[in-house]
């Protein structure tokens, strides 16, 4: 927490754990390096902006939703589910991964595809 209060010019705290990016942004992180943002980029951008504007209610709702997505994307070894979802969304030409990981199970990909789709109505409001 001491780092968040740093007044060192040019020093920025970024989150790197997708499932906890929202609390890190709430604590003053300025952004993140997030694999999950590949499947819902606009929503992660909005999450950062919501926390910057102190819109805590909408930020918490969207953050919780994106945390569920991140948990689903990492339900199996990274990047297997993420690649499966990216393929299902038409973003990449194949869900194949290099060994030693094997492709994610269809069930994990299906669950994550649902969460990667359009935002829920309660969050979008």
């Amino acid at each position: 927490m001491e780092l968040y209060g740093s007044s060192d010019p040019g020093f920025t705290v970024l989150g790197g754990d997708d499932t906890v990016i929202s609390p890190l942004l709430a604590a003053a992180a300025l952004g993140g390096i997030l694999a999950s943002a590949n499947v819902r980029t606009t929503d992660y951008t909005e999450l950062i902006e919501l926390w910057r504007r102190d819109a805590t209610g909408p930020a918490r709702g969207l953050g919780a939703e994106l945390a569920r997505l991140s948990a689903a994307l990492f339900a199996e070894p990274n990047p297997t589910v993420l690649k499966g979802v990216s393929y299902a969304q038409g973003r990449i030409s194949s869900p194949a991964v290099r060994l030693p990981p094997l492709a994610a199970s269809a069930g994990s990909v299906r669950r994550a595809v649902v969460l990667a789709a359009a935002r829920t109505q309660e969050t979008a409001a």
Side-chain angles (χ1 to χ4, degrees), residues 62-91:
L62 181 55
E65 184 177 328
L66 293 174
R68 287 189 297 276
L69 167 62
S70 295
L73 290 171
F74 297 107
E76 295 186 31
N78 187 32
T80 61
V81 179
L82 181 64
K83 287 192 81 170
V85 172
S86 296
Y87 175 73
Q89 291 179 330
R91 294 175 186 260

Side-chain angles (χ1 to χ4, degrees), residues 6-116:
S6 173
S7 59
D8 187 7
F11 183 81
T12 301
V13 175
L14 299 174
D17 187 336
D18 299 30
T19 58
V20 295
I21 189 61
S22 191
L24 291 174
L25 292 166
L30 292 182
I33 300 170
L34 310 164
S36 301
N38 285 293
V39 299
R40 284 186 51 189
T41 308
T42 302
D43 292 333
Y44 277 95
T45 301
E46 182 177 346
L47 178 67
I48 292 166
E49 290 305 315
L50 288 169
W51 281 116
R52 285 184 182 167
R53 291 193 320 259
D54 268 342
T56 58
R60 285 180 181 160
L62 181 55
E65 184 177 328
L66 293 174
R68 287 189 297 276
L69 167 62
S70 295
L73 290 171
F74 297 107
E76 295 186 31
N78 187 32
T80 61
V81 179
L82 181 64
K83 287 192 81 170
V85 172
S86 296
Y87 175 73
Q89 291 179 330
R91 294 175 186 260
I92 59 175
S93 61
S94 169
V97 294
R98 291 178 294 210
L99 293 175
L102 301 175
S105 68
S108 288
V109 172
R110 266 193 312 274
R111 282 187 293 281
V113 163
V114 169
L115 293 168

